[in-house]
Amino acid sequence: MRKVFMNHVELKQVSKSFGGIQVIPPLDLSIRSGEFLVLVGPSGCGKTTTLRMVAGLEDASGGEILISGVNVTNNRPGERDCSMVFQNYALYPHMSVRDNISYAMRVHGVEKSEIDLRVGDAIKLLGLEDYIDRKPRSLSGGQRQRVAIGRALVRKPQVFLFDEPLSNLDAKLRVEMRTEIKLLQRKLGTTAIYVTHDQMEAMTMADRVVVMRAGVIEQVDSPITLYEEPINQFVASFIGSPAMNFMEGFINDGTVVLGDQQVTLSPEDAARLCSATPVIFGIRPEHFRRSDHQSELSLTPNVVEPLGAHTLILGSLEGQKITVQVDPRFEVEPDIRCTVPIDMSQAHFFNPTSGIRL
Amino acid sequence: MYPVRYEDMVLTKILESKHLFIWPAFLTVLIVSLFPLVYALIVSFQSIRLVPPIPPRFVGLDNYAEIVSSARFWGSITTTAIIVCISVFLQYVIGFTLALTLHHNVRGASLYRVVFLLPMFLAPVCVALIAKMLFHPVLGPVNDLFTIFGSPNISFLTVPPLAIAVLVIVETWQWTPFVVLLMLAGLQGLPSDVFEAARVDNISIWRRFRDITFPMLLPLSIAVIFIRMIEGFKIVDTVFILTGGGPGTSTETLTLFAYNEGFKKFNMGMTSALSFMFLIVVIVFGSVYLAAAQRIVRRYK
Ligand SMILES: Nc1ncnc2c1ncn2[C@@H]1O[C@H](COP(=O)(O)OP(=O)(O)OP(=O)(O)O)[C@@H](O)[C@H]1O
Ligand SMILES: [Mg+2]
């Protein structure tokens, strides 16, 4: 019986430098047992590096890494009982699908019957029955992906590590696979750390999302909290698609002044925000809608994109770009000024200098 | 009917213009390599002696018959095969080991990388001359080394097994760098994430080598060994300088045998026939090797 730890994987003040350049300043992060944690952030922010430090493929320059309460900072990768799915799959090219999946177990002397059982299960689960004797090079990207997952799966590790496993797949397969991975992880109850730069993937799969920027963790929260209560402007702009609109303005007597337009604050915001503070006013495209705390903005549409379920208006407002999502029946013509409703209860306000949400 | 497609027209053009590309190269090959070969083949069926000059006379397969029935020929094949097999084996094992060490970035790897390659750039004649001094029965440092341990002077180059051993050592020393170079290139071309995956899966370094590195480099290994084998069969300068084929003909290799026939006896018909026998021997050894290699590859396929 595996002992259950509240914090299954813990990073304490872990940092990483390459040469003289510090790419990860000391970082703290704990991952609960059975949790699906997603690391997300723009390219080059240190997600892969963090994951590789957990795996032991990269030495931490400072700090401690604990797995199940054991300090593994100086352990070899093999001693950490993690299994990893690499961005480019990293399958053994000269081995068949079956051999790829069973290789580690064969090396570690797992009993033949047990191997057959586990490999059989994995193959059935991942729908690889027709390919077991094929070499990776004669598989499609999605099939290779599944083999890589199968290989990670059968070892029954303590922790799954995924490094952008879906980035090479087409959009449709990516959507399918992310559901499959999520279901699989939940079924097995194995702790998982998943790296992606796709915020959609992060939102749909994660129990908790870690948003990183330049090696620094900006926010760790459940997807919905990230969406509703982003801690700063960076997180707000990173989470949600299309991205949140930001406009410079200032608070004046229960309203936000944006150039020569004014929108009325919701009562809570009006009570919270002092007059005359300069703010960055943030509103998501999908929150241009009718509601109890409604206000209005007029803008000049440049491009109108009917997407079926809704229509996107890319326009300009007081010289700033703005994206608005409206109902498909909304009457709008390019270059003809129009007025859209705003749900002010969904508005966000950020400090213009620090970017912190007010 | 559909009109002729544009792509088809282009294709026809290309097919027509192929002659323009093929023929010059083909003719060059024909003149430069095929003509001498055919000429040599004709000569091999004749009895020609340059000194003293004897007019060419067609003798059919007599030259070949004489070669095949001579013990000296079979002796030279055995000698060549022994030198080639042992030295190529050593070159491969040592070369691969060195390449692995260099690949794993030991301290000062870039220095070693240069130093290890030096022997390859020396002319075999120079290497043989150096070796001749090193293994000199009285003055050579190798002999000194042995006498420290109380051994009498050893005449390395006049006792057949020792002479062959020296030839093997010299060949290995000179050509291991070639193996290092190619195997290192092969190692560096391998995808690193595959090995990282194995490390995460707790595969020991030996098993990683046996199950991943080695099979992935197998095709390269086969090619490297093949090249070294073919090249090894051509060994002549080293033997010529070190032992001259002696004592007697006990270290005479195939090419040296041909050389002696051609440039000591000036027996051109015989020499040409020998060259063709050499070709046949290399083809036989090469085919046997490739067939064996194929079986090993199939086990991994
Ligand atoms: N071996 C290395 N040597 C030097 N710098 C490195 C090395 N590996 C990564 N870096 C740097 O560390 C930073 C973080 O890299 P990392 O690969 O972790 O980014 P990432 O978040 O995974 O990005 P992506 O989404 O593009 O994969 C980058 O600025 C990168 O240039
Ligand atoms: Mg990455």
Side-chain angles (χ1 to χ4, degrees):
Chain A
M1 200 37 213
R2 187 177 284 169
K3 202 167 154 208
V4 177
F5 288 84
M6 194 48 203
N7 286 329
H8 196 175
V9 180
E10 261 183 289
L11 280 69
K12 291 184 178 166
Q13 290 293 300
V14 172
S15 66
K16 178 72 194 175
S17 309
F18 288 110
I21 304 160
Q22 190 173 53
V23 295
I24 308 222
L27 163 156
D28 284 299
L29 182 63
S30 27
I31 298 133
R32 300 187 199 113
S33 202
E35 184 175 38
F36 198 109
L37 187 93
V38 175
L39 294 180
V40 69
S43 188
C45 70
K47 309 177 294 285
T48 299
T49 310
T50 310
L51 194 74
R52 287 171 59 88
M53 284 196 291
V54 175
L57 294 171
E58 214 78 72
D59 290 327
S61 309
E64 286 183 347
I65 298 169
L66 279 71
I67 297 179
S68 302
V70 182
N71 185 344
V72 297
T73 320
N74 297 315
N75 288 16
R76 286 185 294 109
E79 296 167 340
R80 301 186 180 198
D81 200 12
C82 299
S83 62
M84 184 152 170
V85 179
F86 290 78
Q87 183 163 0
N88 296 314
Y89 321 134
L91 298 176
Y92 307 121
H94 55 288
M95 294 186 197
S96 67
V97 168
R98 184 204 302 276
D99 288 346
N100 257 291
I101 295 178
S102 63
Y103 176 61
M105 287 192 292
R106 280 184 286 133
V107 171
H108 297 138
V110 177
E111 240 174 81
K112 179 99 176 47
S113 54
E114 174 72 12
I115 295 180
D116 289 345
L117 192 73
R118 287 204 218 166
V119 172
D121 281 352
I123 281 175
K124 206 178 303 157
L125 189 69
L126 296 162
L128 289 167
E129 290 96 336
D130 298 339
Y131 315 109
I132 40 174
D133 291 317
R134 286 219 208 153
K135 292 282 161 57
R137 67 170 169 283
S138 51
L139 295 177
S140 75
Q143 291 159 350
R144 286 181 209 185
Q145 188 57 62
R146 278 179 275 164
V147 179
I149 293 171
R151 184 175 67 176
L153 199 78
V154 288
R155 285 190 43 231
K156 303 206 171 149
Q158 288 201 45
V159 184
F160 280 139
L161 305 171
F162 297 93
D163 188 3
E164 306 204 21
L166 306 185
S167 59
N168 292 351
L169 306 186
D170 68 55
K172 183 165 173 286
L173 200 55
R174 199 176 319 171
V175 173
E176 280 172 25
M177 285 302 292
R178 79 182 178 213
T179 327
E180 272 181 53
I181 293 180
K182 176 71 195 160
L183 283 175
L184 213 63
Q185 185 268 347
R186 193 176 300 157
K187 194 166 138 199
L188 298 168
T190 312
T191 310
I193 309 179
Y194 187 104
V195 163
T196 177
H197 60 254
D198 179 352
Q199 58 91 21
M200 268 300 250
E201 232 167 85
M203 298 290 277
T204 47
M205 298 175 86
D207 295 325
R208 280 194 307 157
V209 179
V210 178
V211 182
M212 286 180 84
R213 173 169 58 168
V216 179
I217 295 182
E218 298 281 333
Q219 188 171 5
V220 186
D221 259 313
S222 70
I224 212 66
T225 317
L226 282 181
Y227 180 82
E228 288 178 345
E229 296 161 28
I231 201 159
N232 58 26
Q233 198 183 341
F234 174 77
V235 176
S237 66
F238 198 80
I239 300 295
S241 162
M244 188 187 277
N245 297 297
F246 297 104
M247 284 160 275
E248 283 173 25
F250 63 90
I251 306 288
N252 183 22
D253 196 18
T255 62
V256 206
V257 181
L258 305 164
D260 49 17
Q261 298 195 44
Q262 290 194 1
V263 284
T264 322
L265 294 176
S266 70
E268 299 92 63
D269 286 339
R272 223 155 37 88
L273 301 165
C274 330
S275 235
T277 2
V279 290
I280 304 259
F281 169 67
I283 183 87
R284 295 189 187 279
E286 55 270 37
H287 293 148
F288 288 91
R289 62 180 183 201
R290 298 183 187 289
S291 79
D292 297 345
H293 302 292
Q294 187 178 322
S295 188
E296 281 181 341
L297 264 182
S298 43
L299 57 108
T300 316
N302 297 330
V303 182
V304 178
E305 297 181 345
L307 298 176
H310 43 74
T311 297
L312 280 186
I313 304 172
L314 313 179
S316 59
L317 186 142
E318 313 295 339
Q320 305 181 66
K321 284 208 166 81
I322 184 168
T323 310
V324 176
Q325 180 179 315
V326 291
D327 196 83
R329 278 157 304 181
F330 190 85
E331 299 277 336
V332 60
E333 290 285 329
D335 299 324
I336 297 170
R337 215 170 156 78
C338 66
T339 302
V340 288
I342 297 191
D343 180 356
M344 286 305 286
S345 61
Q346 300 295 333
H348 300 282
F349 300 92
F350 304 94
N351 183 319
T353 41
S354 65
I356 307 276
R357 196 168 68 102
L358 300 170
Chain B
M1 276 296 284
Y2 289 102
V4 179
R5 283 190 319 163
Y6 175 68
E7 287 87 344
D8 291 345
M9 275 161 55
V10 172
L11 201 66
T12 327
K13 276 249 168 61
I14 291 174
L15 288 179
E16 278 165 7
S17 61
K18 74 184 174 189
H19 296 285
L20 194 70
F21 292 99
I22 293 172
W23 281 105
F26 186 69
L27 285 177
T28 315
V29 169
L30 207 67
I31 293 164
V32 173
S33 85
L34 228 47
F35 170 73
L37 207 65
V38 172
Y39 180 71
L41 188 63
I42 294 167
V43 170
S44 75
F45 295 124
Q46 296 175 332
S47 160
I48 305 184
R49 206 178 264 271
L50 294 179
V51 186
I54 295 176
R57 185 168 51 85
F58 184 77
V59 293
L61 289 171
D62 281 8
N63 286 329
Y64 290 95
E66 194 181 330
I67 291 170
V68 173
S69 62
S70 85
R72 192 172 165 190
F73 171 71
W74 294 109
S76 70
I77 287 189
T78 318
T79 310
T80 317
I82 289 175
I83 295 176
V84 167
C85 291
I86 301 180
S87 79
V88 170
F89 174 76
L90 290 177
Q91 284 165 38
Y92 178 70
V93 173
I94 300 173
F96 200 177
T97 314
L98 286 178
L100 280 169
T101 327
L102 288 181
H103 181 59
H104 287 285
N105 277 326
V106 287
R107 212 182 262 264
S110 50
L111 175 72
Y112 291 127
R113 226 167 273 183
V114 178
V115 173
F116 283 157
L117 295 185
L118 280 180
M120 204 172 80
F121 298 126
L122 290 172
V125 177
C126 306
V127 175
L129 283 171
I130 296 169
K132 192 158 189 172
M133 285 188 274
L134 284 175
F135 289 99
H136 192 281
V138 185
L139 305 170
V142 181
N143 188 61
D144 289 349
L145 189 72
F146 278 96
T147 43
I148 291 175
F149 300 108
S151 141
N153 283 355
I154 307 170
S155 40
F156 288 104
L157 299 174
T158 47
V159 180
L162 281 183
I164 287 191
V166 170
L167 287 173
V168 166
I169 291 171
V170 171
E171 273 287 287
T172 309
W173 184 79
Q174 176 153 34
W175 294 114
T176 300
F178 176 81
V179 179
V180 174
L181 192 70
L182 289 190
M183 296 315 280
L184 191 58
L187 282 169
Q188 283 167 347
L190 294 181
S192 60
D193 54 358
V194 173
F195 293 91
E196 287 178 342
R199 273 168 64 202
V200 172
D201 283 352
N202 201 13
I203 311 292
S204 68
I205 187 159
W206 159 243
R207 290 299 299 252
R208 285 205 296 271
F209 172 77
R210 202 194 82 176
D211 299 337
I212 304 172
T213 316
F214 184 71
M216 280 172 84
L217 286 180
L218 196 60
L220 179 67
S221 299
I222 288 171
V224 167
I225 292 176
F226 188 69
I227 296 173
R228 280 314 312 147
M229 241 176 72
I230 303 295
E231 286 287 307
F233 265 96
K234 297 183 194 162
I235 182 174
V236 61
D237 21 21
T238 322
V239 191
F240 182 80
I241 303 271
L242 274 173
T243 66
T249 57
S250 59
T251 61
E252 193 175 62
T253 57
L254 267 173
T255 38
L256 189 63
F257 181 25
Y259 170 84
N260 284 337
E261 281 296 318
F263 293 95
K264 291 217 172 115
K265 297 189 188 160
F266 295 101
N267 193 347
M268 294 326 276
M270 194 67 160
T271 309
S272 297
L274 254 178
S275 306
F276 275 95
M277 289 307 289
F278 175 74
L279 186 65
I280 292 168
V281 169
V282 169
I283 290 174
V284 167
F285 271 89
S287 316
V288 169
Y289 164 74
L290 286 181
Q294 208 62 51
R295 291 182 67 139
I296 300 178
V297 169
R298 206 167 301 137
R299 197 179 324 151
Y300 283 104
K301 272 263 147 74

